[in-house]
């Protein structure tokens, strides 16, 4: 006999009353903070010591363009029948450990602010990509239950079907043609906090994937969805974590892991905090912000919106997304051209050509290794973020530094390279993102 999960049943209400209250208290008292491992860092299982710093950087840059294409496909997809998830090809940027089931089994998923549904590869597997850790086996856990076809959770997937026993079958596809198909189910998820304590959350909806293929890396077992949609981990755990999560990203060559926090650990407050509103737009997976312009030194370049033949005096609300899975920052093409021209006039260095042909504005690195450029500030609505000098111009090849903000004709993205050394908090209750300048390698 099949077991289904139907929300708001008497059993669920009883279960929630008895078991969720201690979890709420646990997160209120201490929150949850876990490691967020960049795929190219020395701490990553996929780290290849034979690759040079420049090779790893180039790979991250290449993934940025694939990622943008994938996110754009999702942003223009309107039909539930053509539901698209989002994922950077070749394994994502950050990995996160989570334990699933009772007894708990550790999985290593891609932490993705551009995806909602969390899923992992499961036995029995009709088609699975190679992964380094054992597949999750739902037959060996006491708390696994498939979701009924009539449930709200099944409807929220966007592309689902029913099997002969009325269980919900999900299907997600990604912009790089990767996909996952399987059973939509509920299970207990356990996170290990930085204090050494473990916090468990029952009845988390996730995908148990029996057919999965594409450009996934063997390092990860699936996706941990941190987007803004109803099925994301953030919204499912809302009662316990108060709609709050944050992360602190270390520089790519750091030997210290980045971190991600939930609940009270995720509160970003105090002197120096900058806040900007989240803008609700479609798709609700993405976190939209409003970029009003950028500054080079004291010269401010405004980002205006053109409508037909005349330009608006203000920027369009929600004109850029903030994304932890994209390395570069993609600016609207007109604003980028102004930025490039202004920097070109302000920098006295000797111009160089990017050997890979990716970046437009490059210079020779001086013999003393010190490249000087005016400070660049990103002006979000209500928040002026000074971009770290070490991330705006980066040495992409030996002796060549290039501007890491690039033009885009469609989707604008504030990438992770320019989020590093900020503690960035998402508050989905207040609908805002908070930034606090922090040395993330020492903030743990």
């Amino acid at each position: 006999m099949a077991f289904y999960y139907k929300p708001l049943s008497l059993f669920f209400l009883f279960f929630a009353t008895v078991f969720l209250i201690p979890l709420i208290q646990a997160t209120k008292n201490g929150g949850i903070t876990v490691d967020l491992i960049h795929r190219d860092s020395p701490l990553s299982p996929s780290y290849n010591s034979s690759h040079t710093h420049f090779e790893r950087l180039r790979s991250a840059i290449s993934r940025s363009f694939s990622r943008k294409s994938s996110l754009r496909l999702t942003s223009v997809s309107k039909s539930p029948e053509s539901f698209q998830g989002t994922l950077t090809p070749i394994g994502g940027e950050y990995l996160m450990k989570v334990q699933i089931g009772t007894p708990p089994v550790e999985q290593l998923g891609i932490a993705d602010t551009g995806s909602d549904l969390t899923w992992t590869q499961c036995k029995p597997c009709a088609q699975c990509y190679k992964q380094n850790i054992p597949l999750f086996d739902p037959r060996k856990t006491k708390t696994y239950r498939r979701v009924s076809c009539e449930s709200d959770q099944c409807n929220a997937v966007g592309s689902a079907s029913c099997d002969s026993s009325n269980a919900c079958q999900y299907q997600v596809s990604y912009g790089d043609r990767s996909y996952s198909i399987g059973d939509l189910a509920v299970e207990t998820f356990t996170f290990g906090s930085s204090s050494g304590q473990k916090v468990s959350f029952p009845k988390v909806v996730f995908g148990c994937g029996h057919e999965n293929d594409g450009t996934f890396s063997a390092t990860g077992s699936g996706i941990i969805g941190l987007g803004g949609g109803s099925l994301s981990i953030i919204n499912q755990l809302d009662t316990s974590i108060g709609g709050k999560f944050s992360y602190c990203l270390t520089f790519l060559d750091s030997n210290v892991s980045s971190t991600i926090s939930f609940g009270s650990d995720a509160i970003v407050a105090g002197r120096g905090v900058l806040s900007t509103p989240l803008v609700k737009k479609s798709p609700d997976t993405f976190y939209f912000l409003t970029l009003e312009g950028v500054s080079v030194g004291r010269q401010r370049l405004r980002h205006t919106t053109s409508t037909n033949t005349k330009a608006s005096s203000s920027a369009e609300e929600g004109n850029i997304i903030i994304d932890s899975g994209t390395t570069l920052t993609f600016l609207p093409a007109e604003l980028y051209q102004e930025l490039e021209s202004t920097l070109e006039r302000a920098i006295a260095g000797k111009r160089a050509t990017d050997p890979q042909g990716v970046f437009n504005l490059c210079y020779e690195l001086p013999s003393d290794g010190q490249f000087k450029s005016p400070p660049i500030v990103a002006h979000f609505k209500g928040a002026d973020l000074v971009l770290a000098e070490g991330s705006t111009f980066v040495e992409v090849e030996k002796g060549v530094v290039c501007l890491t903000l690039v033009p885009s004709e469609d989707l604008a993205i504030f990438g992770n390279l320019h989020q590093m050394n900020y503690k960035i908090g998402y508050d989905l209750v207040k609908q805002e993102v908070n930034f606090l300048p922090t040395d993330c390698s020492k903030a743990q």
Side-chain angles (χ1 to χ4, degrees), residues 206-259:
F206 80 114
C208 197
H210 300 294
E211 296 180 51
N212 322 284
D213 207 355
T215 58
F216 302 109
S217 166
T219 304
S221 56
I223 303 293
I224 298 175
L226 302 172
S230 61
L231 286 182
S232 78
I233 287 289
I234 307 305
N235 279 309
Q236 286 198 62
L237 303 186
D238 177 60
T239 304
S240 297
I241 67 174
K244 297 179 180 64
F245 76 101
S246 68
Y247 49 75
C248 205
L249 306 180
T250 59
F251 287 113
L252 297 182
D253 56 357
S254 174
N255 288 321
V256 178
S257 177
S258 301
T259 57

Side-chain angles (χ1 to χ4, degrees), residues 234-235 238 241-245 266-270 273-280 287-289 425-434:
I234 307 305
N235 279 309
D238 177 60
I241 67 174
K244 297 179 180 64
F245 76 101
I267 296 173
V268 178
V273 168
L274 301 169
S275 298
T276 188
L278 278 168
V279 179
K280 289 188 176 182
Y287 296 108
F288 292 93
L289 307 179
Y426 296 68
D427 190 327
L428 305 192
V429 176
K430 293 183 178 180
Q431 284 293 296
E432 64 184 20
V433 176
N434 300 307

Side-chain angles (χ1 to χ4, degrees), residues 66 70 73 84 87-90 174-179 214-216:
S66 298
S70 183
L73 282 171
Q84 295 238 330
L87 174 68
T88 305
I90 323 175
Y174 298 89
D176 64 347
R177 298 185 179 179
S178 299
Y179 64 88
T215 58
F216 302 109

Side-chain angles (χ1 to χ4, degrees), residues 93-319:
E93 295 303 299
Y94 289 94
L95 300 169
M96 176 180 165
K97 292 178 181 178
V98 62
Q99 294 180 329
I100 305 176
T102 308
V105 177
E106 186 170 277
Q107 302 292 302
L108 187 63
I110 299 166
D112 190 3
T113 54
S115 293
D116 289 328
L117 181 66
T118 294
W119 61 264
T120 192
Q121 295 201 112
C122 287
K123 290 183 177 181
C125 209
Q127 168 62 52
C128 278
Y129 62 88
K130 183 181 181 299
Q131 72 174 48
N132 296 335
I133 61 177
L135 299 178
F136 180 73
D137 190 345
R139 295 167 296 189
K140 294 184 177 180
T141 168
K142 301 175 183 178
T143 43
Y144 178 88
R145 296 291 185 273
R146 291 186 294 170
V147 168
S148 167
C149 237
E150 289 84 13
S151 67
D152 292 339
Q153 290 88 345
C154 188
N155 292 329
V157 172
S159 179
S161 59
C162 303
D163 67 8
S164 58
S165 60
N166 201 41
C168 183
Q169 304 287 295
Y170 77 91
Q171 177 175 341
V172 290
S173 59
Y174 298 89
D176 64 347
R177 298 185 179 179
S178 299
Y179 64 88
S180 177
I181 302 171
D183 295 320
L184 197 67
V186 293
E187 188 50 285
T188 297
F189 275 52
T190 301
F191 298 89
S193 70
S194 56
S195 64
Q197 295 182 338
K198 293 183 178 181
V199 181
S200 295
F201 300 91
K203 296 191 179 297
V204 174
V205 178
F206 80 114
C208 197
H210 300 294
E211 296 180 51
N212 322 284
D213 207 355
T215 58
F216 302 109
S217 166
T219 304
S221 56
I223 303 293
I224 298 175
L226 302 172
S230 61
L231 286 182
S232 78
I233 287 289
I234 307 305
N235 279 309
Q236 286 198 62
L237 303 186
D238 177 60
T239 304
S240 297
I241 67 174
K244 297 179 180 64
F245 76 101
S246 68
Y247 49 75
C248 205
L249 306 180
T250 59
F251 287 113
L252 297 182
D253 56 357
S254 174
N255 288 321
V256 178
S257 177
S258 301
T259 57
I260 184 167
S261 302
F262 303 91
S264 59
D265 275 11
I267 296 173
V268 178
R271 187 175 180 181
V273 168
L274 301 169
S275 298
T276 188
L278 278 168
V279 179
K280 289 188 176 182
K281 292 179 67 174
S282 179
D284 58 6
T285 300
F286 298 163
Y287 296 108
F288 292 93
L289 307 179
T290 301
L291 180 67
E292 296 181 334
V294 295
S295 287
V296 176
R298 295 183 178 181
Q299 184 171 354
R300 180 158 176 160
L301 312 173
R302 296 190 180 277
H303 175 35
T304 56
T305 304
S306 296
T307 55
N308 297 327
T309 58
K310 62 180 181 178
S312 169
S313 61
S314 61
E316 177 189 357
E317 293 286 311
N319 57 19

